[in-house]
Amino acid sequence: MVWRSFWFLAMQLTGAAVGWWLGNLVGALFGLLLGSWLWLAQDSWSASRLLAWLRSSELANAPAQRGLWGEVGERARRWLRLQSQQTLASDERLNDMLSALQASPNGVVLLDDEGRIEWCNQISYAQFGFDAARDRMQNIGNLVRDPSFSHYLSAQDFSHDLILQGRDSTPGRPVRLSVQIYPYGDGRRLLLARDVTAQEQAEAMRRDFVANVSHEIRTPLTVLVGFVETLQTLQLPDEERSRYLTLMAQQSARMQHLVEDLLALSRLEGSPLPSLTQWTPVGLLLRQCEDEARGLSVALTRAQNRPHLIEFPDSPPGAALGEIAGAATELQSAFSNLLANALRYTPAGGRVVVRWERNAEGSATFSVQDAGPGIDPSHLSRLTERFYRVDRSRSRDTGGTGLGLAIVKHVLQRHGATLAVRSTVGSGSVFSVTFPAQRLRPPAVPDAT
């Protein structure tokens, strides 16, 4: 301001001196006035340049000026540059936040204070069909037509979530969404949608599992309690007493088998995967399975006195079938369960064929063919579910627990193998297990020396 006053005074004195030199006192006064107008014109011109620069969209470089307006222009330029940097940083942070929301596995929708969509991520398109460009500023109540959601919005009670059907939900493949609204800011709201289909299916499976276990144990336990009460309260003949004890032993064995299968499943789910360094001769596994199968066949057909005709590969243990990598006890359990199922569903005197075949690509297939009643195609996809039975009464009568194929499925998954089932109603079934080439090797060649 000092320099500004100095230049103003200097212009006035210069004008007055020139006027005095050219004339008299009147000329000096005229020169003084003229100097003041010249300073004001120059100052206004500088101010107009600065104002034009501020009004323009090109704010990068301020006009080169001196004095007060030059300093104002420089400070304005610095302030605008700082604001531009802060705006750019804010935009980058906003883009980072939107990118994070876009990468979220959940549907995210931002709503204004009137319930209109301000932004939504791509997951919400799969869940609700929202499009960020098309549906922007559309009221969400007009896009989600579920009556329960409309009531949820109108009630304004967002302390809990709401379960809705997903956009792609079908009766065969239901999709369930957990939707909850979270208020924030000045009346704005965030809608979060999570796919809880797998969670609800797992919870349903848990409930079914507990119910099935309870049912499977309750039946033999009820029989045992009834027989125990009978033996405690009644004097029975030795023959009838012996029959009751035999039935009690059968029910006890049934519960024991059920507990053993449940423990086997638990061990399979909690133990580390089998390695590729433990090799077992395939022939040895088949020989052990054959011994168990023939014993089971005798037990199942004792009343008819007609054991099953069981055919195994004609080979001594480990001679020509090669070796397989994995847990030998698990593999034997899987093979034995497939054989046990085949024997239980094959009539006395029926034929059960066991094969081990090497495939061209290096894999190998273990298969069991029975002569049972066959399986309707509607049951095939559920055979490996726990406690699932095609014929419940027949399975219980032959000692099945309903967990055999579930154990087989877990063992095969742990060994990278696949299970295939071919069945024709009235003509029997074939259960085939294919092992990958990396778990197989040819039999060791003995040293000639």
Side-chain angles (χ1 to χ4, degrees), residues 233-244:
T233 57
L234 298 178
Q235 293 294 330
L236 300 175
D238 291 342
E239 183 178 351
E240 189 171 359
R241 183 183 182 87
S242 176
R243 186 173 69 86
Y244 278 12

Side-chain angles (χ1 to χ4, degrees), residues 1 53 76 102 113 123-124 198 231 240 312 344 360 375 423 446:
M1 291 297 294
W53 169 70
Q102 197 69 261
D113 54 353
I123 298 297
S124 65
L231 293 174
E240 189 171 359
F312 271 80
R344 288 191 178 100
I375 305 170
S423 183

Side-chain angles (χ1 to χ4, degrees), residues 91-128:
D91 289 343
E92 290 178 351
R93 287 196 296 270
L94 177 60
N95 289 332
D96 289 341
M97 292 177 60
L98 293 179
S99 298
L101 294 176
Q102 197 69 261
S104 171
N106 303 318
V108 180
V109 183
L110 302 183
L111 306 173
D112 66 7
D113 54 353
E114 296 183 8
R116 295 175 298 191
I117 297 175
E118 293 185 322
W119 182 88
C120 59
N121 65 353
Q122 293 179 352
I123 298 297
S124 65
Y125 174 78
Q127 294 175 337
F128 299 102

Side-chain angles (χ1 to χ4, degrees), residues 371-386:
I375 305 170
D376 188 270
S378 62
H379 297 287
L380 295 180
S381 62
R382 302 188 60 189
L383 288 179
T384 57
E385 294 181 13
R386 299 178 182 185

